[in-house]
Amino acid sequence: MSAEQHRYTVDVRWTGNRGEGTRSYGAYGRDHEVRAEGKPAIHGSSDPVFRGDASRYNPEDLLVASVASCHMLWYLHLAADAGVIVTAYEDRPEGTLSLNRGQGSFTEIVLHPQVTVTAQSDAGKAAALHADAHRACFIANSLNFPVRCEPRIVTETP
């Protein structure tokens, strides 16, 4: 019996040729576009530390956003199944990248979701669902570094 598989295809196109290609490290821009059929383009670059454009998303931003989005979507699914009524969800996740002589890797991502639930919802159950969402998150399950979750549950006043 084979596992169910899903494929995701995007186009990544470098748009940073300033007329000299990669003649030197400083000669080219880091700008690029990420596209998927039927979706708007994501305008990317590298982090400004690496000569990128601060007004564009960098791969590190997108990795952190992917983890947070996956966690949120699983959380909302599990909350609906558990009878926890979520009326607002926001997160400000932080990823830590460590560099050593130009080589780097992420060492952790910390999620900080703030979830608002109705007064009739069980706030304890709402908090506990974050552990279940973390275990279910496809993206977090694919990483080789820790992802922590520090949720805050807010209950609406009736």
Side-chain angles (χ1 to χ4, degrees):
M1 179 174 182
S2 66
E4 181 179 340
Q5 294 186 341
H6 299 268
R7 296 201 184 279
Y8 300 89
T9 302
V10 298
D11 294 315
V12 178
R13 181 166 299 156
W14 174 52
T15 59
N17 186 346
R18 297 178 179 151
E20 297 183 58
T22 58
R23 183 172 303 279
S24 70
Y25 183 72
Y28 64 94
R30 276 56 177 175
D31 295 355
H32 58 277
E33 291 182 351
V34 179
R35 294 183 178 271
E37 189 172 326
K39 300 175 185 176
I42 295 172
H43 299 283
S45 190
S46 61
D47 187 286
V49 171
F50 308 110
R51 299 180 177 243
D53 181 342
S55 71
R56 292 173 169 244
Y57 290 100
N58 61 57
E60 296 81 10
D61 292 333
L62 296 173
L63 176 63
V64 173
S66 291
V67 172
S69 296
C70 186
H71 180 92
M72 177 190 69
L73 293 168
W74 270 107
Y75 182 85
L76 295 172
H77 172 121
L78 295 170
D81 286 352
V84 172
I85 300 172
V86 176
T87 58
Y89 186 112
E90 58 184 76
D91 195 352
R92 188 157 178 87
E94 300 171 290
T96 302
L97 175 72
S98 294
L99 292 176
N100 185 9
R101 299 176 203 212
Q103 299 295 310
S105 63
F106 271 84
T107 56
E108 76 171 348
I109 290 177
V110 181
L111 307 177
H112 301 283
Q114 178 174 305
V115 179
T116 304
V117 299
T118 61
Q120 298 78 22
S121 294
D122 181 335
K125 186 186 290 185
L129 287 172
H130 282 286
D132 296 335
H134 177 68
R135 282 190 294 278
C137 175
F138 305 143
I139 307 299
N141 286 330
S142 301
L143 302 175
N144 66 353
F145 57 86
V147 175
R148 293 186 296 115
C149 186
E150 298 176 356
R152 180 171 174 244
I153 307 298
V154 177
T155 303
E156 290 180 340
T157 53

